[in-house]
Amino acid sequence: EVQLVESGGGVVQPGGSLRLSCTASGSGFKFSETWMHWVRQVPGEGLVWVSRIDKAGSGTSYADSAKGRFTISRDSAKNTLYLQMNSLRVEDTAVYYCTAVDGYWGQGTLVTVSS
Amino acid sequence: QAGLTQPPSVSKGLRQTATLTCTGNSNNVGNEGAVWLQQNQGHPPKLLSYRNNKRPSGISERFSASRSGNTASLTISGLQPEDEADYYCSAWDSSLSGWVFGGGTKLTVL
């Protein structure tokens, strides 16, 4: 069974930083051959794409809301995806999902930005 | 960054057929098609169909996806109570180099 398990969420003050991780496990999913994404969802609202990284880890892109503040990276040797989030804002509060979008989704990790 | 357009809600009776729509443009839906996701309250999204309209393993044949131009559709036949959920479409956007999502459709089975 394939699993994507996110971690690193929590409560942080505005202007603070968090690093999310997502570890993939299970047969049938070739993490190193899959473009990976972070998607977020404010509780009760819709899904919003945040960032993506290609298989090699050399190509990335970001939603306007994340540009200049968030950095996506991966370590395929560890089957792990990361999202470094800096200069966090109240409006970044959401559940963050690690996903291939057209494939597996993690359970999500809640990030709360509040003073 | 504009998203895809979905009706906020659809209501249909038990055992009826519901068709959910998703409209984008030539950079996204019209280019490579859309995926459909089902999300139950408190759970992560689950993939119902790939961009080529094929279903992942384990997804019921009652779920059928299609596309015409810039509009994708998900047809759910023989509606069951467990089909009541939020449904999202998403498409790869070549101008954004990322995925765009619809706002979601809440399906109610009466």
Side-chain angles (χ1 to χ4, degrees):
Chain A
E1 180 191 1
V2 174
Q3 280 194 311
L4 297 176
V5 179
E6 300 95 336
S7 60
V11 181
V12 62
Q13 291 188 335
S17 298
L18 277 178
R19 188 195 198 201
L20 307 183
S21 299
C22 167
T23 301
S25 62
S27 60
F29 179 60
K30 299 180 180 179
F31 178 83
S32 61
E33 297 181 10
T34 304
W35 285 35
M36 293 297 296
H37 307 259
W38 288 98
V39 172
R40 70 185 184 185
Q41 184 175 37
V42 174
E45 298 186 8
L47 300 166
V48 177
W49 175 81
V50 174
S51 181
R52 67 91 179 169
I53 188 166
D54 65 14
K55 292 185 293 186
S58 55
T60 61
S61 58
Y62 300 89
D64 286 346
S65 59
K67 283 179 184 174
R69 301 188 300 127
F70 293 2
T71 302
I72 190 171
S73 61
R74 68 191 298 163
D75 184 338
S76 289
K78 296 182 179 179
N79 278 359
T80 302
L81 176 73
Y82 303 99
L83 186 68
Q84 177 67 44
M85 303 188 295
N86 299 329
S87 303
L88 282 163
R89 306 165 180 166
V90 171
E91 54 265 34
D92 294 319
T93 295
V95 174
Y96 285 73
Y97 293 105
C98 156
T99 177
V101 182
D102 56 350
Y104 299 103
W105 287 70
Q107 291 295 313
T109 186
L110 177 61
V111 171
T112 302
V113 185
S114 173
S115 55
Chain B
Q1 289 152 337
L4 309 178
T5 300
Q6 295 183 253
S9 63
V10 168
S11 298
K12 287 288 186 179
L14 194 63
R15 293 182 294 277
Q16 289 189 332
T17 296
T19 298
L20 312 182
T21 59
C22 167
T23 302
N25 59 41
S26 58
N27 289 324
N28 42 63
V29 177
N31 188 18
E32 294 190 28
V35 302
W36 286 92
L37 304 159
Q38 179 191 59
Q39 186 177 34
N40 291 295
Q41 183 73 23
H43 292 270
K46 179 174 75 173
L47 184 68
L48 293 179
S49 73
Y50 295 108
R51 281 177 280 186
N52 61 5
N53 299 324
K54 294 189 182 301
R55 288 181 300 275
S57 174
I59 300 301
S60 170
E61 293 179 350
R62 298 189 297 106
F63 294 90
S64 174
S66 61
R67 175 173 68 101
S68 177
N70 296 335
T71 297
S73 300
L74 177 70
T75 298
I76 311 170
S77 60
L79 283 168
Q80 299 297 310
E82 60 266 28
D83 296 332
E84 202 165 272
D86 293 323
Y87 291 83
Y88 293 92
C89 62
S90 183
W92 179 260
D93 191 293
S94 56
S95 63
L96 174 64
S97 196
W99 289 86
V100 287
F101 287 87
T105 296
K106 183 174 183 61
L107 175 64
T108 300
V109 180
L110 303 172

